[in-house]
Amino acid sequence: MDTLLQARIFDTAEAPAADRLALWLEVVAQTPAPMRVRTAHADNFLARAEFLDLGPMRLVRYRYPSLDGIRTRKLIRRSDADYYVLALTLNGTGITDQDGQRGVCPPGDFTFFDCARPQEASHHADDGQAAASLVALIPYDALPLPHRRLRPLFSSRIPGGEGVGALLAGYLSRIIGHPEQYHAVDAERLGTVGLDLVTTLLGRHLVSEEAIPTEVRRRALLAQVQAYVRQHLGDATLAPGTIAGARHISVRSLHRLFEDEETTVAAYIRDERLARCRRDLADPALSDRSIQVIAARWGFRDKAHFSRVFRAAQGETPQEYRARHLEPARIVNSTASAVNLSRTY
């Protein structure tokens, strides 16, 4: 059986209040970006970190009290510093200073910095709330952009609310939020897609996108197209023309993009719609919804057409699929009801 992807979690709440800050600093010291920390919450530093390895890229979701930090040359020499950090502010306001540049990042925006250079940072949230961030730790050699070209981006504020920034923010948040939805063997591929989006995001803020390798641009464009398709599956008129127009590319280029994936645009749309239909048909909470309503929700307006497509893909009708998946749930519920009834008497 495949192993599911799983984050490693560290939570200072499991330790006595007096030990929490020291334990937190020990954990942070093992990352490529340890800092000297000042905080008004040293006597009870309630913090949590979730670590998830995705091939060469590591994701960390942090939650901690407001703090200020400084990364000195001495700390740099003690750590494996050949890393970049792309940090997404989730709550509070993050401020970073590096190489004479300052970035002020409200929730939803990114900042980018080099672990091998001195840095000052602060992250403060409103009273009574924790600061939170999502960090991607990226080795130098995993990012196919010239190091010297990236320097103007250090400590800059990079919008995460639109375009590639929004796509990347949603992608990373979805993975770290629900790693159990993925298999461990998928980690490398998930990391590769993430790196492609990071590369594209940074490349958009350089003088020229020509610094981005062609294959990286292709994979990043594919990820954007696939995200658009998933967001519009319920639109029965979804077609190559509308998708290409939304991404400002030609229909021919769109088809060529999917040829490299050994599928077609139409097949991808169909398979994604069928996946959503299978999920809803097997959901006991949706057992009162008709098959036609579920099919229409995901873009299948014609009942007969949906039945034919579903049977061709699954080898059984939608009714048979639903019955096979809901019957075990009915048995469990009936057994539970019988037990509860016997306890009543």
Side-chain angles (χ1 to χ4, degrees):
M1 185 175 181
D2 290 339
T3 304
L4 298 180
L5 201 56
Q6 188 171 11
R8 291 178 289 108
I9 298 174
F10 172 77
D11 197 327
T12 64
E14 299 174 2
D19 299 334
R20 288 170 180 167
L21 180 58
L23 289 173
W24 176 260
L25 294 178
E26 285 183 17
V27 170
V28 174
Q30 297 172 25
T31 72
M35 287 186 160
R36 289 208 316 257
V37 172
R38 299 189 309 274
T39 177
H41 306 274
D43 57 340
N44 185 18
F45 196 80
L46 281 170
R48 178 184 173 93
E50 301 162 63
F51 298 89
L52 187 65
D53 291 325
L54 299 177
M57 181 171 68
R58 172 183 288 187
L59 296 185
V60 191
R61 184 166 62 178
Y62 290 115
R63 189 181 71 233
Y64 39 70
S66 296
L67 54 79
D68 301 284
I70 183 169
R71 182 161 168 76
T72 64
R73 295 191 183 280
K74 185 176 181 180
L75 284 172
I76 291 170
R77 288 193 296 269
R78 291 178 179 175
S79 61
D80 181 9
D82 292 341
Y83 280 79
Y84 299 114
V85 168
L86 184 70
L88 173 67
T89 302
L90 299 176
N91 190 43
T93 300
I95 302 175
T96 60
D97 288 88
Q98 189 171 70
D99 281 358
Q101 299 184 99
R102 163 173 277 215
V104 179
C105 293
D109 284 346
F110 292 94
T111 190
F112 179 69
F113 57 88
D114 182 359
C115 292
R117 298 173 184 268
Q119 177 200 9
E120 293 185 20
S122 65
H123 196 165
H124 292 256
D126 296 332
D127 291 343
Q129 296 187 16
S133 61
L134 174 54
V135 167
L137 298 164
I138 305 167
Y140 281 174
D141 59 6
L143 198 61
L145 293 171
H147 185 78
R148 60 181 176 78
R149 296 283 305 280
L150 291 170
R151 187 167 180 171
L153 297 182
F154 296 154
S155 280
S156 64
R157 172 174 170 258
I158 301 175
E162 60 184 14
V164 179
L167 180 60
L168 176 61
Y171 179 79
L172 298 181
S173 297
R174 187 166 60 250
I175 293 175
I176 195 72
H178 298 283
E180 75 284 351
Q181 294 182 359
Y182 307 93
H183 296 281
V185 295
D186 298 326
E188 189 83 23
R189 178 59 179 161
L190 293 171
T192 298
V193 173
L195 285 172
D196 289 342
L197 293 174
V198 170
T199 303
T200 302
L201 177 65
L202 297 177
R204 294 279 171 87
H205 290 80
L206 297 175
V207 175
S208 171
E209 289 189 47
E210 295 305 315
I212 306 175
T214 301
E215 178 59 17
V216 171
R217 291 202 301 270
R218 187 196 73 80
R219 292 197 301 256
L221 176 59
L222 177 65
Q224 294 175 64
V225 167
Q226 290 174 332
Y228 179 87
V229 169
R230 290 193 296 269
Q231 292 166 6
H232 295 83
L233 289 174
D235 181 0
T237 65
L238 184 65
T242 56
I243 299 168
R247 297 313 315 165
H248 308 293
I249 60 175
S250 68
V251 174
R252 182 177 180 180
S253 295
L254 177 67
H255 285 302
R256 191 161 52 241
L257 193 64
F258 278 84
E259 284 174 4
D260 291 335
E261 300 299 307
E262 298 183 353
T263 187
T264 65
V265 182
Y268 182 78
I269 296 172
R270 180 200 62 217
D271 292 345
E272 288 295 310
R273 283 174 167 164
L274 287 173
R276 301 305 190 283
C277 290
R278 289 194 300 270
R279 183 192 66 188
D280 287 0
L281 289 171
D283 187 349
L286 301 179
S287 60
D288 60 335
R289 294 190 185 181
S290 70
I291 292 174
Q292 187 170 0
V293 167
I294 289 174
R297 177 189 180 189
W298 297 114
F300 291 106
R301 295 290 189 260
D302 185 277
K303 182 179 179 181
H305 172 69
F306 170 65
S307 294
R308 287 195 301 272
V309 171
F310 191 95
R311 184 163 193 165
Q314 294 298 129
E316 59 185 336
T317 66
Q319 293 88 344
E320 291 167 343
Y321 180 89
R322 184 178 226 180
R324 183 166 58 84
H325 283 80
L326 292 185
E327 188 60 30
R330 291 194 184 99
I331 292 174
V332 170
N333 290 335
S334 298
T335 302
S337 299
V339 169
N340 290 334
L341 184 62
S342 65
R343 286 175 178 171
T344 302
Y345 292 96

